[in-house]
Amino acid sequence: DAKTTQPTSMDCAEGRAANLPCNHSTISGNEYVYWYRQIHSQGPQYIIHGLKNNETNEMASLIITEDRKSSTLILPHATLRDTAVYYCIVSITNTGNQFYFGTGTSLTVIP
Amino acid sequence: NAGVTQTPKFQVLKTGQSMTLQCAQDMNHEYMSWYRQDPGMGLRLIHYSVGAGITDQGEVPNGYNVSRSTTEDFPLRLLSAAPSQTSVYFCASSDGWGNTEAFFGQGTRLTVV
């Protein structure tokens, strides 16, 4: 699986959009981009995933560049409960969810 | 649905002891995985299974055994516990060939003394 690069930490003001970048320059054509988050050492929680097109759900938006070498997770209106470690993962489509986690981005939402 | 259930939540072992971490899911998922998470680190894949009777090694399999006799259960066995196996263990399941989300349990915090 391709490796990802994320900033170690970020801050965001409550109510503002949080934009979390991820580089995955070696991504293959059959690899999806997944985002998970982990709050207080709980089990990781799925946020969103995509292949080529931008995606949006009730939690977040995922913007993938045209060359697919990078992506951005957008939390449109960050709340204190969004404080967590966010993991960007790329994974082969046909082998189940064998994820290779990095150290993620620690997002702190500031009141 | 209970989702992915891990037991126990906490465990302390002495070096050399063996034990089994239990993982059960009630979503009829084909894929199940075990990860470990050391302090300040991301999760690392130990073993995974793509269906009953099929298992394979992940990134850090040494010292652990798994079996998958049913779709629902995927136990992780520590054969002879070592202090280096002190970690938080997470089990995950999913139902798809990728393009689907994985569900994680709440973890088992294991300390080996």
Side-chain angles (χ1 to χ4, degrees), chain B:
Chain B
N1 284 353
V4 179
T5 302
Q6 291 184 236
T7 55
K9 288 186 171 55
F10 301 93
Q11 182 71 49
V12 179
L13 286 179
K14 293 183 178 179
T15 298
Q17 286 185 317
S18 62
M19 79 159 296
T20 300
L21 279 63
Q22 301 292 342
C23 176
Q25 52 92 7
D26 61 359
M27 298 172 282
N28 202 32
H29 286 170
E30 288 296 319
Y31 295 95
M32 298 186 74
S33 309
W34 276 103
Y35 294 84
R36 62 176 286 174
Q37 185 174 32
D38 299 327
M41 305 287 288
L43 283 70
R44 291 185 293 168
L45 183 65
I46 304 172
H47 285 286
Y48 65 96
S49 169
V50 299
I54 305 169
T55 64
D56 207 343
Q57 297 180 350
E59 185 182 2
V60 288
N62 293 339
Y64 307 95
N65 276 358
V66 292
S67 60
R68 185 93 180 274
S69 56
T70 67
T71 299
E72 295 77 20
D73 300 300
F74 191 43
L76 178 72
R77 297 183 185 86
L78 280 69
L79 307 174
S80 178
S84 61
Q85 294 178 304
T86 294
S87 191
V88 181
Y89 292 83
F90 291 100
C91 178
S93 76
S94 65
D95 68 352
W97 294 88
N99 193 22
T100 185
E101 66 176 288
F103 294 83
F104 285 80
Q106 289 306 298
T108 294
R109 187 173 298 274
L110 176 68
T111 302
V112 183
V113 298

Side-chain angles (χ1 to χ4, degrees), chain A residues 34 36 38 49 93-94 97 99 102, chain B residues 35 37 42 94 97-99 102:
Chain A
Y34 290 83
Y36 282 76
Q38 189 174 26
H49 74 283
T93 59
N94 64 347
N97 294 105
F99 292 137
Chain B
Y35 294 84
Q37 185 174 32
S94 65
W97 294 88
N99 193 22

Side-chain angles (χ1 to χ4, degrees), chain A residues 22-25 27 63-72:
Chain A
C22 179
N23 288 323
H24 31 79
S25 59
I27 191 170
I63 309 298
I64 302 174
T65 58
E66 190 170 345
D67 64 7
R68 303 207 325 123
K69 293 184 177 182
S70 65
S71 60
T72 301

